[in-house]
Amino acid sequence: MSTTDHTHDPAAQSWVSSANEATGDFPIQNLPFGAFRRAGSDEDVRIGVAIGDQILDLKLAAERGRWSTAVQVLLQPLAQGDLNAFMAQPPVARLALRHALFEALLAGSKQEAALRGALLQQADAEMQLPCRINDYTDFYTGIHHAVTVGKLFRPDNPLLPNYKWVPIGYHGRSSSIVSSGTPLRRPRGQLKPPSAETPVFGASQRIDYELELGLFVGPGNALGEPIAMQDAEDHLFGLCLLNDWSARDIQPWEYQPLGPFLAKNFGSTISPWIVTMEALAPFRCGFERPAGDPAPLPYLDSEANRQQGSLDIELEVWLQTAAMREQDLAPVRLVRSNFRHAYWTLAQMLTHHASNGCNLNPGDLLGTGTQSGPLPEEAGSLLELTQGGKQAFNLPNGESRTFIQDGDTVILRAHAERAGARRIGFGDCAGRLLPALA
Ligand code: MN
């Protein structure tokens, strides 16, 4: 498991002055990876590291900086735009590059003159998906979400008996995962309103967001070779925000008996920056189960997981309607929650996924499931916040919402902060809903 070191020193400052602003998402302690191209250009996608309001272009940094031979080798795939190849490297390699980039960006570094020309303003970049996502699985680790939604779908039997034993998930589609800022179209589908006798085909009237984190897999495993809990952390590369857009009128009609399908795969938005597990080291916390709940089976248990398997990450959902945009009103925060409420840890998700020998590959994405907190105002979806659309949520400009309307922009945000550590953030995960095709 990654531990803290000099790269987490809250006093460390960068020669990139915007990185030193106290509330910024990308101080020198963060150093997340993303893929970008210059706005309006059709040049090849490049890999970069966010620093303040800038991006360190790793192609230019590899050419112009002074690096040890070992670091040059690590930079090579990144300079070629291939983040997956770097994700395949063991944790020791990830740490070596983090240390080299930290040193190069640190105030007073001899590399400043060479690397100034390798910076690009984030405002001048178009962010892309950070890597090739070959496979995507969505878990269901938010127990408060599972209980609340379970009550709406099955009032007599909200939490199914397997929930506290097995990390529930389903295989999603990677083809419809899009980077923040990509608009999505309201889907059409087979719907059956609760009052109706027979289904109809039409535009969904109940579009919702889901507040999730996405875990990017590092090295992964060969087919047939499970990953033990004590090795799981080596395979966790980093996290992004994930909005698992959901059509709540398609979902209840289609989900039995094989699980989510077309209610989920019309689009999933991720934030462009992958915050590494190394950067998140100061925000680890213990994994706990409420008294009386079953302990995880031995293959999902480890001492390290009990001590430090969870993460304290603040999560938020913001909304800006079309009317707000026209009136020049800033987005409003609907809810806040925290990833520490998750019923299963990242290591347990990964170990369980590989426990049957299923192979995970570098760049695969594992969604955490909707992260609702224990309180009603910590709901990670509108389905929960509006009690299935019964109780509208009032916005400050006089509008209200039960579900997402055409033209609405949903923005997920996250940050981690703790006494003795520098606050780090994830950047925005934003998506706007377009009207359905006629
Ligand atoms: Mn989901």
Side-chain angles (χ1 to χ4, degrees), residues 6 10 73 80 105 116 148 178 223 250 264 294 298 304 318 349 376 415-416:
H6 64 283
V73 169
Q80 290 164 0
L105 291 167
R116 272 212 178 271
T148 309
V178 298
L223 182 62
I250 299 175
K264 296 285 191 171
W318 297 68
M349 284 165 47
H415 68 272

Side-chain angles (χ1 to χ4, degrees), residues 138 210 212 244 264:
D138 199 18
E210 288 193 337
E212 307 196 18
D244 178 22
K264 296 285 191 171

Side-chain angles (χ1 to χ4, degrees), residues 136 138-140 145 170 210 212 242 244 246 264 369-370:
Y136 161 55
D138 199 18
F139 281 85
Y140 200 47
H145 171 74
Y170 69 94
E210 288 193 337
E212 307 196 18
L242 166 65
D244 178 22
S246 300
K264 296 285 191 171
T370 309

Side-chain angles (χ1 to χ4, degrees), residues 25 213 241 313-316 412-416 424-427:
D25 280 349
L213 289 171
L241 281 158
I313 301 174
E314 281 279 319
L315 307 168
E316 302 174 341
L412 309 185
R413 290 179 180 151
H415 68 272
I424 63 171
F426 281 64

Side-chain angles (χ1 to χ4, degrees), residues 18 26 36-40 50-55 119-127 273:
S18 59
F26 307 119
F36 69 97
R37 65 162 60 106
R38 259 152 253 271
I51 179 79
D53 62 6
Q54 308 283 316
I55 300 171
L119 294 177
L120 176 71
Q121 292 260 12
Q122 284 177 31
D124 295 335
E126 277 170 13
M127 299 306 294
W273 296 105

Side-chain angles (χ1 to χ4, degrees), residues 1-24:
M1 189 172 296
S2 51
T3 50
T4 54
D5 59 28
H6 64 283
T7 66
H8 303 97
D9 177 359
Q13 300 241 312
S14 175
W15 51 261
V16 180
S17 55
S18 59
N20 304 324
E21 287 162 20
T23 55

Side-chain angles (χ1 to χ4, degrees), residues 239-322:
L239 297 177
C240 67
L241 281 158
L242 166 65
N243 181 353
D244 178 22
W245 296 89
S246 300
R248 300 302 187 193
D249 39 9
I250 299 175
Q251 188 178 354
W253 174 235
E254 71 164 14
Y255 90 109
Q256 285 175 324
L258 290 184
F261 184 30
L262 302 181
K264 296 285 191 171
N265 66 7
F266 61 92
S268 312
T269 309
I270 62 171
S271 54
W273 296 105
I274 305 179
V275 177
T276 65
M277 297 310 293
E278 287 74 25
L280 290 164
F283 311 104
R284 291 283 187 161
C285 53
F287 165 72
E288 286 168 22
R289 278 285 159 81
D293 277 18
L297 291 175
Y299 83 101
L300 291 176
D301 187 28
S302 77
E303 180 60 23
N305 191 63
R306 263 174 270 149
Q307 294 302 319
Q308 294 210 69
S310 295
L311 278 162
D312 184 352
I313 301 174
E314 281 279 319
L315 307 168
E316 302 174 341
V317 182
W318 297 68
L319 180 74
Q320 188 185 43
T321 68

